[in-house]
Amino acid sequence: MLYAILCYHDEDFVGSWSKEQDAAVMKKLAAVQEKLASQGRLGPVARLLPTTAATTLRKENPPLVLDGPYAETKEQLLGFYLVDCQNLDEALETAKELGAANPGGAYEIRPVGMFAPGGAVK
Amino acid sequence: MSETDAAWIDAALTSARPQAVGALLRYFRNLDTAEEAFQNASLRALKSWPQNGPPRDPAAWLIMVGRNAGIDEARRTRRQQPLPEDDQAISDLDDAESEIAERLDGSHYRDDILRLMFICCHPDLPPTQQIALALRIVSGLSVKQIARAFLVSEAAMEQRITRAKARVAGANVPFETPGAVERSERLAAVAAMIYLIFNEGYSASGDTAEIRTRLSEEAIRLARLLLRLFPGEPEIMGLTALLLLQHARADARFDAQGDLILLDDQDRTLWNQKLIAEGLALIDKAMRHRRSGTYQIQAAIAALHARAARPEDTDWQQIDLLYGALEVVQPSPVVTLNRAVAVSKVRGPQAALDMIEPLAPRLSNYFHFFGVRGAFLMQLDRNEEARVAFDRAIALANTSAEAAHIRMHLDRLMRDSKPPGKKAGT
């Protein structure tokens, strides 16, 4: 089953990492991703730009455009993975591995109901 | 990096600092007391977090501990009466306490940070003191780091910061929540201060490059923070975009010797595409508000440079129009001078020269004026007049770095403006 691992973290904190700290975390995460890819379990991965770059469209009539992220939270949605896992246990194991490479914050693990790989975007 | 690493704790303290010091300032109404209280809390964190694990909300933890430390300190020094019961109730540090801290501070979050930043850029302070104070108080850079960035001794910087603090202490900064008009004035002052910090970093080169790059990054961090507090302010979007787009070129701006490389000669593959993407996204957002401003216009100009894969792809016509808009909101001979460069690309050197001639009385001591003027004259084959302008430019340079920059700029302009086939130096 395909799981989305949604990454939440305090973006002030992540933004306070030095270039070296950021690179070190990304390198460790890349190692986990490589392992998942070699097992044929890794789907799309995204790291999102800061929530200051976000815009929210409220689907009212007429639609309302708001600056900023949808939810004002202490920790923000900063990225996501799609990973193929046999069950929740395996998904949690994978999330723990990613978490060991990038401590702090939280992962929300959500089973995926429908997935269209797209493919046109490089 | 693990959660108990010194580096991790350092990043947590840095990111929590503006909110925590801002809240402590609201309690104690004194910058020194607030800073000391934060310092105390940080020391406690360095001891406690590696053992007990980091708290879920570092800022709330630091505010609580700092507040208690400040109260204890006040008791010791002033031999005050014990404080009332409800203050005792928040002296421990479990999760329930964090919730209290959050309730206490959540509603003040924006104004605490804005007030803290605003105090640093108080109009009574000269710009050099504003920047030093902000880097010390809001960013938490050490006096030593700040001194290095400004090429002054640690003692001199210490004195500068002490003077600045004394001045704001006597300046009676209001602590009540500001009204809409005052808030927008504060925002504008803070934005200007952040831009000053960035420019200090932007002119970095040579030995101080590393620490001054840190200033640019710090300015971006503060701009993002401000934008998160005021997500619908197009000028703050513009400011943040401007800093991101300019900083994206950082790795391409200097050669191995630390000499400046001009925009046209930069290796554009070294531009940071992630920063550019963020800058362009913010400009997009800002434009939707249709409330133009100086930062947005400057960011839009930077965006046009960022979008050009090669120098010859630059949309100079649009840049000319944007400088025209900037002249309207912020009339200044320097803006007109910059516009003239775009005009020279679009309508040729004669039109550009005509544009800057009226500026001569006001820019008679400005070396860029003579550098640009010389370049236009040369393109018109008025070489003797051009040489006079170039000489004047070099004579007006304030520092050797400036002189070198101008000389390189001039060399380049001279080389470029030579018709093909003509030998250099003839």
Side-chain angles (χ1 to χ4, degrees), chain A residues 11-12 28 52 54 67 74, chain B residues 1 7 57 228 231 285 289:
Chain A
E11 68 179 345
D12 262 355
K28 280 195 201 170
T52 41
D67 291 300
K74 274 230 161 270
Chain B
M1 192 162 59
D57 185 343
R228 199 125 63 72
K285 284 179 62 171
H289 287 264

Side-chain angles (χ1 to χ4, degrees), chain B residues 333-387:
Chain B
V334 174
V335 172
T336 306
L337 186 65
N338 283 326
R339 184 181 183 187
V341 175
V343 166
S344 78
K345 308 263 186 185
V346 180
R347 284 182 273 150
Q350 187 60 55
L353 193 63
D354 292 344
M355 186 171 216
I356 67 164
E357 288 301 2
L359 308 176
R362 279 179 296 166
L363 295 180
S364 61
N365 288 311
Y366 189 59
F367 56 77
H368 279 298
F369 173 73
F370 292 96
V372 169
R373 184 167 189 272
F376 295 158
L377 287 166
M378 245 186 124
Q379 288 169 39
L380 292 166
D381 271 334
R382 290 157 67 176
N383 288 347
E384 190 45 38
E385 290 165 88
R387 203 184 50 77

